[in-house]
Amino acid sequence: MAPYWPLVVDNRSVSIGNGACTFFLIDKWWGENFTLEEFFDPNFNPLPFDASVNQAIADDGEWNFPLLGNILPPHISNKIRVILHLDEDSGPDSLIWSAEDNGVFSIKSSYNLLANEKAWVSHMPWVTIWSRKGPEKYKIYFWKLSHDKLLTNKRKSSWGLSPLDCPFCFGLVEDSLHVMRDCYLATQV
């Protein structure tokens, strides 16, 4: 699942309340599906990298237009200018899930999002394993095999419980591949 986490992260954004908990440059808060981080220039930037959105508001409660003009391209600063002004009474910022119209995360929508990624589904052995007809114990065995979770000597040795070697093949490491294909006993089946 770890290689696909960026896909999940890309579908979250922030609903601005008072702007105190949302990073101006790092978070997706301004209506587009990318951050303002690429516009950060450490040599010239009057706004710190970890500044919150409410730090881009002037004392009068309006957007700090000179600041926005200095750090962002005009087409982006103009888009931000039309966003409603922040207010301390607006409540805290909150995460929203852009894969759902209502902004609320659900397991179903995240699954559908990942299932639409053809590469993700085709590389997952569980699709093949769990769709096969046959006894559950075989499905569980092959699932464990595909995730390298069989209780082999290699796994047990990582816990300090046994030597690495296969007791039948003398000197060969007993891992999942060895148990299924290379072991003397496996070749006899």
Side-chain angles (χ1 to χ4, degrees):
M1 188 66 188
Y4 308 103
W5 184 246
L7 185 66
V8 174
V9 170
D10 285 345
N11 282 283
R12 69 164 176 77
S13 57
V14 178
S15 175
I16 296 295
N18 58 19
C21 298
T22 303
F23 293 112
F24 184 82
L25 295 168
I26 303 169
D27 289 326
K28 289 188 232 172
W29 62 270
W30 63 287
E32 294 294 329
N33 201 22
F34 60 92
T35 67
L36 301 172
E37 188 174 358
E38 66 183 80
F39 303 110
F40 180 74
D41 180 1
N43 299 321
F44 172 76
N45 201 326
L47 198 62
F49 184 73
D50 61 351
S52 60
V53 171
N54 67 355
Q55 289 178 275
I57 302 295
D59 293 335
D60 62 0
E62 301 287 325
W63 288 105
N64 186 337
F65 297 128
L67 174 72
L68 293 177
N70 282 335
I71 62 175
L72 298 172
H75 69 284
I76 292 179
S77 61
N78 288 337
K79 183 162 183 159
I80 291 174
R81 289 177 190 204
V82 299
I83 295 175
L84 295 174
H85 304 292
L86 305 180
D87 184 359
E88 285 296 321
D89 299 329
S90 299
D93 305 336
S94 60
L95 285 176
I96 58 173
W97 178 243
S98 57
E100 282 282 351
D101 293 336
N102 63 6
V104 178
F105 175 83
S106 71
I107 297 296
K108 179 180 179 182
S109 65
S110 63
Y111 175 81
N112 288 337
L113 179 73
L114 292 172
N116 287 334
E117 285 291 309
K118 303 276 191 261
W120 181 73
V121 173
S122 65
H123 287 94
M124 298 306 288
W126 55 263
V127 172
T128 304
I129 292 168
W130 297 113
S131 63
R132 297 278 185 210
K133 293 186 193 270
E136 288 296 311
K137 66 181 181 180
Y138 296 133
K139 293 178 185 181
I140 292 168
Y141 178 82
F142 284 111
W143 183 88
K144 284 181 178 184
L145 177 68
S146 69
H147 288 81
D148 200 25
K149 298 295 182 189
L150 291 178
L151 194 56
T152 61
N153 281 346
K154 182 179 179 182
R155 263 189 97 210
K156 289 191 281 186
S157 73
S158 69
W159 303 328
L161 298 176
S162 78
L164 283 168
D165 300 341
C166 173
F168 305 104
C169 298
F170 308 109
L172 296 177
V173 174
E174 184 188 69
D175 57 8
S176 296
L177 182 62
H178 179 80
V179 168
M180 287 301 294
R181 186 187 72 185
D182 300 334
C183 181
Y184 169 76
L185 290 180
T187 60
Q188 300 303 308
V189 177

